Amino acid sequence: MGEIFAYDFMVRALLAGLVAGLICPAVGVFLVLRRYAFMADTLAHVSLAGLALGMILGVFPSLTTLGVTLAAAVGVERLRATGRLHGEAVLALMLSTGLALAVVLISLVRGFNVDIMGYLFGSILTVSPADLLLILVVGAAAMLLLFLFYKELFFISFDEECARVAGLPVDRLNMLFILLVALTVSVATRVVGVLLVGALMVIPVLTGQLFAGSFRSLFRVSLVLGVTVCLCGLLFSYYLGTAPGGSIVLLAAAIFLLTQLFIAARRAWQRRRLVKGEEKLPLVKFGERTSGP
């Protein structure tokens, strides 16, 4: 186990996975609550155009990917704010346009030596020292913004109209949130790949919803699950020789499935005991208040 820390590329991958495992579920919680999970996939596909643009211009690809993703996020929010198009229509438009642009730009590049499969599905070897530095800086900035605007984002995620009536700058907060999603996507694509970053932002949150009793507990459980699947998925990828993105997402999906089966089995067992009379409901006298809400 300790031998993996002797390789610099594996240490960089684990550090990048730790950042991605923290920030993806942290932002994904608000995405799921707002029913806007498709946003992550949209920006991830657009980021592929940023990669191709960086190869054409001979610029550091992670910087162009970050810039294009941020620009696309601003465009999505501007189009959605006009009210002329529904959110799903805006995302579909941006996804198809960004993916088409990426395909055209990649076809124009001749003889490039960049592993496209690594960008699509993630690769341990693609995390360079410069990538790791950018991931750490962007991840720290995104977590800081989440910490500073946690309550405001929580408010607008549950009731945007009520937040607007309460005097919150909803439009600015929405723009801030979209930029946070763009930052998260640009960080996570280096670990799980373009095609699977949306799953890392959503699946741990869906698993946490199965047994979390409050938003705060959901937030914490999602972060723990995100870090766990990222680090364990990278280890599985190292020892089995599989793609990191696929290993991470499959592990997250397996935990979700096992949690579902455990909850279903527990409910069936409790129902069976109740039918047999082994568990009796507490008797409450008329006028007596019970504990709880």
Side-chain angles (χ1 to χ4, degrees):
M1 183 66 180
E3 65 180 10
I4 62 176
F5 296 102
Y7 301 101
D8 293 337
F9 73 91
M10 196 62 196
V11 174
R12 292 195 299 267
L14 290 175
L15 289 176
L18 177 62
V19 176
L22 282 173
I23 189 175
C24 282
V27 176
V29 169
F30 298 100
L31 278 178
V32 172
L33 291 179
R34 302 182 69 172
R35 299 181 181 179
Y36 221 37
F38 196 47
M39 168 63 75
D41 288 321
T42 299
L43 295 180
H45 284 76
V46 173
S47 68
L48 191 60
L51 167 65
L53 182 62
M55 291 188 294
I56 291 177
L57 299 178
V59 184
F60 185 46
S62 295
L63 290 178
T64 55
T65 299
L66 178 60
V68 170
T69 306
L70 290 174
V74 174
V76 168
E77 181 58 25
R78 292 296 185 186
L79 289 174
R80 189 192 69 86
T82 59
R84 298 178 181 177
L85 295 175
H86 294 289
E88 294 81 2
V90 174
L91 294 180
L93 173 64
M94 188 63 68
L95 186 148
S96 57
T97 304
L99 187 58
L101 178 62
V103 172
V104 171
L105 291 178
I106 291 175
S107 65
L108 294 176
V109 181
R110 303 297 181 183
F112 63 89
N113 57 359
V114 178
D115 183 14
I116 292 296
M117 295 298 293
Y119 280 90
L120 291 178
F121 302 102
S123 175
I124 296 176
L125 297 177
T126 60
V127 182
S128 64
D131 289 327
L132 179 60
L133 178 61
L134 183 62
I135 288 173
L136 293 175
V137 172
V138 173
M143 291 300 293
L144 178 61
L145 290 174
L146 274 178
F147 175 77
L148 293 176
F149 296 95
Y150 175 84
K151 295 181 180 180
E152 289 81 358
L153 293 175
F154 170 78
F155 199 173
I156 65 174
S157 297
F158 276 94
D159 196 335
E160 185 172 313
E161 293 301 324
C162 185
R164 195 182 299 274
V165 173
L168 289 179
V170 175
D171 295 334
R172 295 180 182 179
L173 289 173
N174 282 330
M175 181 62 70
L176 172 65
F177 177 70
I178 295 299
L179 293 178
L180 278 174
V181 177
L183 291 175
T184 303
V185 169
S186 64
V187 167
T189 50
R190 308 298 297 142
V191 180
V192 296
V194 169
L195 300 181
L196 299 174
V197 62
L200 180 59
M201 298 178 70
V202 173
I203 295 180
V205 181
L206 298 180
T207 306
Q209 284 183 328
L210 297 177
F211 52 85
S214 63
F215 180 81
R216 182 170 297 180
S217 62
L218 172 62
F219 192 83
R220 293 174 179 173
V221 170
S222 299
L223 262 63
V224 172
L225 289 174
V227 171
T228 301
V229 298
C230 276
L231 296 183
C232 293
L234 287 174
L235 293 177
F236 291 157
S237 174
Y238 172 78
Y239 287 110
L240 300 179
T242 56
S247 302
I248 291 172
V249 173
L250 279 179
L251 180 59
I255 294 177
F256 174 79
L257 179 61
L258 291 175
T259 304
Q260 285 273 33
L261 294 176
F262 173 77
I263 292 176
R266 183 179 179 183
R267 289 178 178 175
W269 177 73
Q270 290 178 345
R271 191 179 301 112
R272 190 179 300 111
R273 291 191 62 184
L274 184 62
V275 171
K276 291 181 178 180
E278 297 179 10
E279 289 187 359
K280 296 182 180 180
L281 295 176
L283 297 178
V284 180
K285 298 180 180 179
F286 181 77
E288 181 180 353
R289 297 187 61 181
T290 58
S291 60

